[in-house]
Amino acid sequence: MPSSSFILLTIVGCGLATWLSRVAPFIILKKYQLSPAIIEFLSFVPIVIMAALWFENLFHQNLGHLPSINYENFFASIPTVIGAVITKSLLVIVVIGIISLAVVRWLM
Amino acid sequence: MNNRLDATTAVKDTLPTVFGYIGIGLAFGIVARASGINPLLVLLMSAITYGGSAQFVAVSMLATHSPILSIVFSIFLVNSRMILMSTTVARYFNNESLFKNIVIGTLLTDESFALGMNKRNYTGDTLSFTWFNTANFIAYLTWNVASLVGALLGNFIQNPEKIGLDFALVAMFIGLLYLQVISDRSLNRLLQVMVITLTLILIYVGLIFVPSNLLILLVTLIGCGCGVVLKHAFF
């Protein structure tokens, strides 16, 4: 983990980014409208970024070569996905994920 | 839910969502603490960044020592859906002062957005500043307290690797992805599955050439672009 001052700076930077995305439309929309092309592009962001963050954890990077599979995370993902489909509760999904990886590590 | 838009009614209307904030807030506190962020910074992140899933992304990128601009821009992208929600809510407060508009926008969340969109069905398509601000404030307070408690609990969870706690973040992304796919009615389900599959391919190929701390950003931009193209080509 980086230093506390770096983390604090990141928190403030991110705070500014999230605050602007929440507040700017309230201010701007008194005058202008968002282009439909931008709205369409943004509509894909949640699924793509969440999927990307998950999939990145399924591999080990070897720059210049094909990535290798991270079997621990790969096997732990299976019960987690099943848990998501059955419960649809974020907290339960996370608990299942934690237990799954602990069990996978214990078995491997 | 009824047609009243006062503060007491707002408290009653918001209560069911409070449990969601407590659960995810606790999880965030525990995960952030396990990743090595102290409880004070955990609280500050919840209070200042206030981004739900964006905060999980920030923690994971901090842990991999990503450059600050890359983190901030990724968080902006994760949270950019708020632009759409703010855009939708803004028209209900057109007649209120700019200050009140900024207050509503500052504490807007996915859940208060969803709640507000539900509420207007009972009020003849109107919302009040008092009602929305109360709903927002309860969310903000609950989220901050839950994150702090989670971080303090995390202090007692030694050696998180051994009990699989480092997977909490990945599990959260799996959960958020699944919940997003089943609740987003604006995008065709098949299209979403295609875009997610494409993202898997982009990540796999990207890992060969692109350092992992820049990969998420690049894949997101390309993935969203491809999503738009696919939508126009096949849907």
Side-chain angles (χ1 to χ4, degrees):
Chain A
M1 211 18 96
S3 70
S4 290
S5 55
F6 182 88
I7 296 173
L8 188 61
L9 200 64
T10 306
I11 288 171
V12 173
C14 292
L16 207 61
T18 58
W19 183 70
L20 281 176
S21 33
R22 289 192 298 260
V23 165
F26 279 92
I27 298 168
I28 296 167
L29 274 162
K30 299 228 166 203
K31 288 189 176 180
Y32 306 99
Q33 274 191 315
L34 214 61
S35 108
I38 292 175
I39 293 177
E40 191 168 49
F41 180 87
L42 292 177
S43 69
F44 288 95
V45 168
I47 54 166
V48 173
I49 202 152
M50 291 305 151
L53 286 161
W54 171 25
F55 296 147
E56 190 198 24
N57 279 287
L58 297 181
F59 303 104
H60 293 293
Q61 183 167 46
N62 316 298
L63 270 176
H65 302 275
L66 287 177
S68 48
I69 294 175
N70 179 337
Y71 285 103
E72 285 188 352
N73 284 354
F74 181 80
F75 287 125
S77 292
I78 297 168
T80 309
V81 171
I82 296 169
V85 174
I86 295 171
T87 69
K88 298 179 176 63
S89 151
L90 211 44
L91 192 63
V92 177
I93 294 165
V94 171
V95 172
I96 292 174
I98 291 169
I99 295 169
S100 302
L101 186 64
V103 170
V104 167
R105 285 201 175 129
W106 183 70
L107 290 173
M108 284 174 79
Chain B
M1 220 174 248
N2 57 33
N3 63 352
R4 294 164 58 105
L5 284 165
D6 56 278
T8 319
T9 312
V11 174
K12 282 181 200 155
D13 290 342
T14 314
L15 222 54
T17 65
V18 162
F19 299 102
Y21 292 114
I22 293 174
I24 303 165
L26 279 175
F28 172 73
I30 293 169
V31 167
R33 186 75 198 96
S35 310
I37 298 179
N38 74 51
L40 177 65
L41 286 171
V42 171
L43 177 62
L44 284 175
M45 187 182 277
S46 285
I48 297 170
T49 303
Y50 196 43
S53 51
Q55 292 177 216
F56 285 92
V57 177
V59 168
S60 104
M61 291 184 83
L62 278 168
T64 56
H65 292 263
S66 302
I68 189 161
L69 282 179
S70 161
I71 302 177
V72 171
F73 192 53
S74 298
I75 265 51
F76 175 75
L77 285 178
V78 174
N79 217 58
S80 61
R81 66 181 188 283
M82 296 308 296
I83 295 174
L84 305 177
M85 296 183 200
S86 293
T87 306
T88 314
V89 173
R91 70 184 179 91
Y92 294 93
F93 299 97
N94 247 341
N95 298 326
E96 299 283 1
S97 67
L98 185 63
F99 176 75
K100 283 184 173 177
N101 271 273
I102 290 172
V103 170
I104 292 288
T106 299
L107 295 184
L108 186 70
T109 70
D110 302 82
E111 286 81 359
S112 64
F113 168 78
L115 216 54
M117 292 303 101
N118 198 349
K119 184 74 182 177
R120 70 191 171 149
N121 297 326
Y122 298 84
T123 60
D125 207 29
T126 55
L127 292 170
S128 78
F129 173 80
T130 308
W131 184 90
F132 215 107
N133 193 41
T134 308
N136 272 346
F137 186 72
I138 293 170
Y140 186 71
L141 198 69
T142 314
W143 178 253
N144 280 291
V145 172
S147 315
L148 181 62
V149 172
L152 295 173
L153 284 176
N155 274 333
F156 299 104
I157 300 172
Q158 299 292 320
N159 202 354
E161 292 254 322
K162 206 152 208 165
I163 57 169
L165 208 56
D166 48 323
F167 195 71
L169 207 55
V170 183
M172 182 68 69
F173 294 136
I174 293 174
L176 288 167
L177 175 64
Y178 181 74
L179 296 176
Q180 177 68 29
V181 169
I182 60 166
S183 63
D184 189 345
R185 309 225 176 279
S186 64
L187 291 175
N188 181 289
R189 192 72 52 87
L190 179 64
L191 174 62
Q192 296 199 55
V193 173
M194 284 170 74
V195 170
I196 291 166
T197 309
L198 187 78
T199 305
L200 176 60
I201 297 165
L202 285 172
I203 285 285
Y204 187 79
V205 175
L207 278 167
I208 305 168
F209 309 103
V210 187
S212 61
N213 54 13
L214 282 174
L215 186 63
I216 297 294
L217 191 57
L218 199 66
V219 166
T220 304
L221 291 172
I222 298 172
C224 292
C226 292
V228 173
V229 173
L230 281 172
K231 188 177 175 184
H232 285 274
F234 300 109
F235 294 91

